[in-house]
Amino acid sequence: MRVALTPHAATPGPDVTITVQAARHEQGLWLRYVVEGAVEGLAWPAPAEGRADGLWRTTCMEVFVQTDDGYREFNLSPSGQWAAYRFDGYRTGMAEADGVIQAPLLDAGSDYVALEAVIDLPPGARALGLSAVIEERDGRISYWALAHASDKPDFHHPSSFVLEIP
């Protein structure tokens, strides 16, 4: 399946398009985020490895997975770093999540940057919310998602989980 993300009305964003492909991969979910267009004007984090917090403060791809016991948030940085959190409810009970993310892989050309990763699907996974934070070189940040459920960017909003798991 392939879907397009749109910027939140409050943060219109640069002249790019963002699409996401998603497919089952064994016990996990394979994702490929593609940013196309004026990618030279975006801020890309420096290469790094491993688990890290605060990745959403700059260009970062995110996937939210609704589960029977709350939801999970996965941050996938173009740097190669990643993070995984679990929540008991809407922005409550946050803790590091167990599970594995294969380190994000980056592919780029003159007018696109693509990030691929495989995440472990948690037990009881029901629906997805796909999103991205895009920082421009001048520091402006835009928030992209499948659905924007409130007047402010909020990827955690229950109405953001709009995609069936493939």
Side-chain angles (χ1 to χ4, degrees):
M1 121 178 41
R2 183 177 177 176
V3 295
L5 304 184
T6 58
H8 191 279
T11 63
D15 187 20
V16 298
T17 61
I18 302 175
T19 57
V20 185
Q21 290 175 269
R24 288 277 186 161
H25 179 76
E26 299 171 1
Q27 300 299 329
L29 183 68
W30 169 82
L31 298 158
R32 179 175 170 87
Y33 287 77
V34 181
V35 181
E36 293 181 277
V39 296
E40 72 282 350
L42 305 183
W44 299 101
E49 294 181 7
R51 186 178 212 139
D53 292 322
L55 298 174
W56 53 269
R57 294 173 194 227
T58 187
T59 300
C60 180
M61 311 311 161
E62 301 185 354
V63 58
F64 290 77
V65 182
Q66 187 179 44
T67 63
D68 293 336
D69 63 350
Y71 64 95
R72 304 295 188 278
E73 173 185 354
F74 299 92
N75 301 154
L76 310 168
S77 174
S79 70
Q81 293 182 302
W82 58 273
Y85 307 99
R86 109 181 135 65
F87 292 83
D88 297 332
Y90 176 65
R91 294 188 176 273
T92 62
M94 180 182 164
E96 279 193 3
D98 292 333
V100 175
I101 298 175
Q102 290 181 10
L105 299 173
L106 206 57
D107 174 27
S110 63
D111 63 348
Y112 80 95
V113 174
L115 178 143
E116 287 188 36
V118 176
I119 63 169
D120 281 349
L121 282 173
R126 299 191 321 235
L128 299 174
L130 301 173
S131 54
V133 176
I134 301 296
E135 182 178 7
E136 296 177 65
R137 287 184 182 216
D138 64 7
R140 286 184 293 176
I141 294 181
S142 55
Y143 300 92
W144 300 65
L146 285 173
H148 296 284
S150 65
D151 60 345
K152 293 181 182 175
D154 185 359
F155 302 151
H156 294 255
H157 195 283
S159 295
S160 297
F161 299 88
V162 297
L163 192 63
E164 275 188 43
I165 295 175

